[in-house]
Amino acid sequence: MAVVSRCSRAATAATTANATTATTFAYLIRSLSPFSSSSSTFDPQNDLNNRNKPAVLGTLKRESKGRNVQWVFLGCPGVGKGTYASRLSNLLGVPHIATGDLVRDELASSGPLSSQLKEIVTQGKLVSDEIIIDLLSKRLEAGEAKGESGFILDGFPRTVRQAEILEGVTDIDLVINLKLREEALLAKCLGRRICSECGGNYNVACIDIKAENGRPGMYMAPLPPPPQCASKLITRPDDTEEVVKQRLRIYQAMTRPVEDFYRSRGKLLEFDLPGGIPESWPKLLCALNLEDREDKQSAAA
């Protein structure tokens, strides 16, 4: 039976979280849980001062090899979920599945959903559960056919209903909630650029927020494109100030309850980004009890 049909039944049964829903998706998302976790908040400014102190998620434990993580990234639009999820995907050897990319691919395909999605995206609204579940199911089915196991989800779930659907069908090991102050978020979103030829993501914004009123300063350098992409940069149609602010308002109203959902289950790690990638990446790895040997070697070179 088609995956879409299975997803539709799972979505319908989400509120009851019954065994039928779990069975419906069982073949799509394997319950491979190499980590156990507890809800924590990681403050990079304080938690890294003592090098001998165990990482904040000291309860995270590696289990047998061959089992892959099932993680979720949460955070406001533009916070950097895709960047850090992609890096962790490469480090851990699991697919990074971004529902935003799935939506954009569908938009570019001129398929049956493209006109409907275009209106939703340009207005800064959230795509409906049914559409997102449809697109995600197709991606999971394709991945399973290629032998993928485990995943890092980026952009899903965005509502408690979606979280209930996911909770009913698989064990999410950890939910990483990236946090960044709003003025930096807005500047990042307005500075995002995409290479129209290779699809690379860059950012032309130079964010330099001075310390004041007891709040620390923050510096985030631009992420410029390589020379071959410099003349091919385009702006995403939803990266306008009006749309970005609307997306942030929607996030506050609809997605923040998802944080509470996972917090109550002891699966939420809240991570305050202290700056750009050079400052944040090693501290995020520390919070996750991970090590990027290649990154260390390149830094030492």
Side-chain angles (χ1 to χ4, degrees), residues 18-172:
N18 57 31
T20 301
T21 307
T23 304
T24 299
F25 271 93
Y27 83 100
L28 280 178
I29 310 177
R30 298 177 177 86
S31 296
L32 304 175
S33 307
F35 291 92
S36 61
S37 63
S38 61
S39 179
S40 304
T41 299
F42 186 75
D43 181 355
Q45 301 300 327
N46 299 320
D47 288 318
L48 291 179
N49 290 335
N50 186 350
R51 292 288 182 178
N52 296 320
K53 185 174 70 173
V56 64
L57 286 186
T59 57
L60 286 177
K61 301 293 183 184
R62 275 282 189 185
E63 293 183 4
S64 59
K65 293 182 179 179
R67 301 181 69 194
N68 291 328
V69 303
Q70 294 185 168
W71 287 358
V72 167
F73 264 85
L74 296 181
C76 290
V79 74
K81 296 186 295 294
T83 298
Y84 294 102
S86 179
R87 282 181 166 236
L88 285 171
S89 168
N90 292 330
L91 184 64
L92 298 172
V94 297
H96 166 213
I97 302 176
T99 52
D101 290 342
L102 299 181
V103 169
R104 284 185 283 276
D105 290 344
E106 185 67 25
L107 279 167
S109 71
S110 299
L113 290 176
S114 62
S115 58
Q116 183 180 354
L117 284 171
K118 183 176 181 180
E119 182 179 355
I120 293 171
V121 170
T122 55
Q123 292 178 7
K125 296 180 180 178
L126 285 178
V127 180
S128 71
D129 289 353
E130 288 73 20
I131 292 176
I132 289 295
I133 291 167
D134 184 353
L135 296 175
L136 180 58
S137 298
K138 291 175 181 177
R139 170 62 183 84
L140 290 171
E141 184 184 45
E144 189 196 28
K146 295 188 295 184
E148 291 179 352
S149 65
F151 51 77
I152 297 179
L153 290 182
D154 161 14
F156 184 94
R158 287 190 173 183
T159 65
V160 170
R161 181 170 179 259
Q162 291 177 355
E164 289 171 342
I165 293 171
L166 194 59
E167 187 81 2
V169 299
T170 190
D171 291 327
I172 295 300

